[in-house]
Amino acid sequence: MNKNVVILLLALMLGPGALAQRNNKRAKYEFYRNLPVYADSLLKDLTYPMAWGNSPITDFDEWRRTARQKVFDCMLTPPPPPSIPPRGEALVSPSGDEREVLLFEEKRDGYTARKIEIRLSRYYTVPAYVLIPDGKGPFPAVNVLHDHGAHLFIGKEKMIRPLSCEDSTVIRDADEWAAQLYDGQFVGDYLARHGYVVFSADAPMWGERGQQEGPRRDRYDMIAGNMMMYGIDLSAYMTYDDISGTEFLAQMPEVDPQRIGCMGCSMGAYRAWMLSALSDRIKAGAAVCWMVTTDEQMSFKYNRTENGGFANCFPGLRRWLDYPHVASIACPKAMLFINGSQDKLFPVPGVEKAFKIMHDTWRSQGADDKLETEIWDIPHSCPLKAQERVLQFFQKHL
């Protein structure tokens, strides 16, 4: 059917205003390229009064406590902690945790892979993978945090090779994703082969925590907006779950609770430094390809005008702290940041500004040797050499 005929039929069905709404622009407008036209003025008004060095608090430990609480305040209402499950709902797991259900287990080369389901809230249970090295523990452990990628069909399976109990579609999709972003290697399995207990769980809206109707990126923001109508924040729930998942990891008998790290790429990197800042369980964190300052991320200077949207948005937080200021709450922990000079999502000037802010913080506490920041000639990805660098970092600090 002719395209003009289709448009005419649609206009007749939807009413006389439909065609005008489709084709016409108003002479006066207030938004451009997904931003308000006054975006530059908004950026100038962001003074970050809670940042270390801006805040009137001069005792660093007190500042960390106060800044961390401000982040939690902006995360809105947390998910309620789990209640004791009804009799018969939970199985006795190898760890003895009544909130854990063992779903499947298989032996791999040098380690055992488990699929479990853990109750992180009274509202929901969360599917997760755990890899446990052969031999006698306790072992160091890493919470590996999956990326966004506008690809919601899989979550934990991006970081750990799917178990054989999974559908062939999931296994094939995970292999393709690993080839696309991780040079064909599953980061979690790589770390497990080197002696680390590895944990990875689906974030809300990914994998087995997605929509019944199937994964659609355009629905993420709509659902996140609806969640706010309940007084909760979807991105905050992801962070709360990362904190609770790390607590679960620390309780495993195979894990040395004093040697727990976290890592991720892209949104997983955001989750890694956020988790490092908000959880005392984390001793070392590695973030590949997610760090920038708001003035570079949210300006008209680049084609990108947001990087994640609701997936990294806490209401009102930018009025108090920028991204590197939040990451600085992790000081004086050991932290590794790798960004790519070819990464179109995070402009190098914004990365360099963020790195300087963090180095100033770590240096103020005599801990600049614990912060490692690197810009590599790579696009938005986590290639084999980056995974090797992360392993070396964990071998040094865990």
Side-chain angles (χ1 to χ4, degrees):
M1 185 179 293
N2 183 281
K3 181 180 178 181
N4 291 331
V5 174
V6 172
I7 293 174
L8 180 59
L9 289 173
L10 285 173
L12 290 172
M13 288 188 293
L14 298 177
L19 195 58
Q21 185 173 332
R22 174 186 174 90
N23 293 323
N24 289 354
K25 298 179 181 178
R26 300 296 298 269
K28 182 175 174 56
Y29 58 88
E30 196 165 324
F31 295 87
Y32 169 66
R33 282 175 44 194
N34 300 327
L35 293 178
V37 294
Y38 46 86
D40 290 341
S41 296
L42 289 175
L43 291 173
K44 289 179 182 178
D45 287 341
L46 295 178
T47 59
Y48 308 118
M50 187 63 75
W52 175 247
N54 294 345
S55 167
I57 301 173
T58 57
D59 179 82
F60 191 75
D61 289 338
E62 182 184 351
W63 172 80
R64 287 182 73 247
R65 289 191 296 270
T66 305
R68 179 183 282 185
Q69 186 58 53
K70 176 58 68 177
V71 176
F72 280 124
D73 290 344
C74 293
M75 288 168 65
L76 305 183
T77 308
S83 55
I84 299 175
R87 178 179 295 275
E89 180 178 326
L91 304 177
V92 177
S93 71
S95 70
D97 187 343
E98 64 180 356
R99 297 189 314 208
E100 173 193 352
V101 179
L102 175 64
L103 301 177
F104 192 81
E105 182 175 280
E106 66 185 26
K107 187 71 180 67
R108 294 183 176 176
D109 185 18
Y111 57 99
T112 297
R114 293 174 182 159
K115 181 176 183 179
I116 63 174
E117 193 166 83
I118 55 177
R119 184 172 293 279
L120 295 185
S121 165
R122 179 163 50 84
Y123 294 153
Y124 49 79
T125 57
V126 176
Y129 287 161
V130 179
L131 306 179
I132 302 173
D134 295 344
K136 184 178 180 181
F139 303 99
V142 181
N143 189 345
V144 293
L145 306 154
H146 68 73
D147 59 76
H148 187 306
H151 187 74
L152 283 65
F153 180 63
I154 53 175
K156 60 190 178 299
E157 301 89 356
K158 295 180 177 182
M159 307 304 289
I160 293 176
R161 179 162 55 86
L163 277 67
S164 58
C165 62
E166 304 293 1
D167 184 271
S168 60
T169 306
V170 171
I171 296 173
R172 181 173 62 253
D173 192 68
D175 286 338
E176 292 173 355
W177 193 257
Q180 177 177 328
L181 199 64
Y182 299 96
D183 267 356
Q185 178 168 267
F186 289 94
V187 184
D189 295 76
Y190 173 66
L191 293 172
R193 288 195 298 271
H194 285 84
Y196 294 84
V197 172
V198 178
F199 173 89
S200 190
D202 291 331
M205 286 294 291
W206 273 266
E208 295 176 276
R209 302 183 70 186
Q211 270 188 286
Q212 182 185 33
E213 298 84 355
R216 284 180 52 182
R217 169 63 183 90
D218 63 337
R219 295 286 180 172
Y220 184 94
D221 292 345
M222 182 181 295
I223 290 175
N226 285 341
M227 297 286 272
M228 286 188 175
M229 299 299 286
Y230 298 107
I232 60 179
D233 181 74
L234 188 58
S235 176
Y237 264 44
M238 177 173 68
T239 299
Y240 281 123
D241 288 349
D242 290 341
I243 295 171
S244 296
T246 304
E247 289 295 326
F248 169 82
L249 187 59
Q251 301 303 319
M252 291 182 60
E254 299 91 348
V255 170
D256 180 349
Q258 300 305 314
R259 293 190 293 160
I260 298 177
C262 62
M263 70 82 57
C265 172
S266 190
M267 183 184 77
Y270 164 86
R271 296 167 66 188
W273 56 257
M274 184 66 71
L275 177 60
S276 299
L278 299 182
S279 171
D280 291 332
R281 289 290 189 185
I282 297 296
K283 305 305 178 185
V288 181
C289 289
W290 210 119
M291 179 47 69
V292 73
T293 53
T294 297
D295 63 337
E296 299 291 335
Q297 180 196 34
M298 300 298 292
S299 75
F300 288 112
K301 289 188 289 185
Y302 308 97
N303 288 330
R304 296 288 299 186
T305 52
E306 62 87 21
N307 293 295
F310 277 114
N312 54 262
C313 176
F314 295 168
L317 183 55
R318 288 293 80 77
R319 290 286 160 177
W320 299 97
L321 298 157
D322 202 357
Y323 299 113
H325 302 140
V326 176
S328 293
I329 298 173
C331 178
K333 295 178 184 178
M335 296 291 296
L336 169 66
F337 290 84
I338 299 173
N339 270 67
S341 61
Q342 306 305 315
D343 189 339
K344 296 181 180 179
L345 299 184
F346 299 100
V348 171
V351 176
E352 291 175 335
K353 287 182 186 178
F355 284 177
K356 181 183 184 303
I357 289 169
M358 291 189 294
H359 275 290
D360 287 346
T361 303
W362 262 260
R363 191 176 299 114
S364 75
Q365 301 308 305
D368 200 41
D369 60 323
K370 294 288 188 68
L371 176 64
E372 303 177 55
T373 58
E374 302 168 3
I375 298 178
W376 293 16
D377 185 22
I378 58 173
H380 192 74
S381 63
C382 186
L384 293 179
K385 60 181 180 179
Q387 298 175 44
E388 293 169 1
R389 178 72 179 86
V390 169
L391 174 63
Q392 294 168 1
F393 171 78
F394 284 142
Q395 288 174 330
K396 177 181 178 181
H397 293 288
L398 293 182

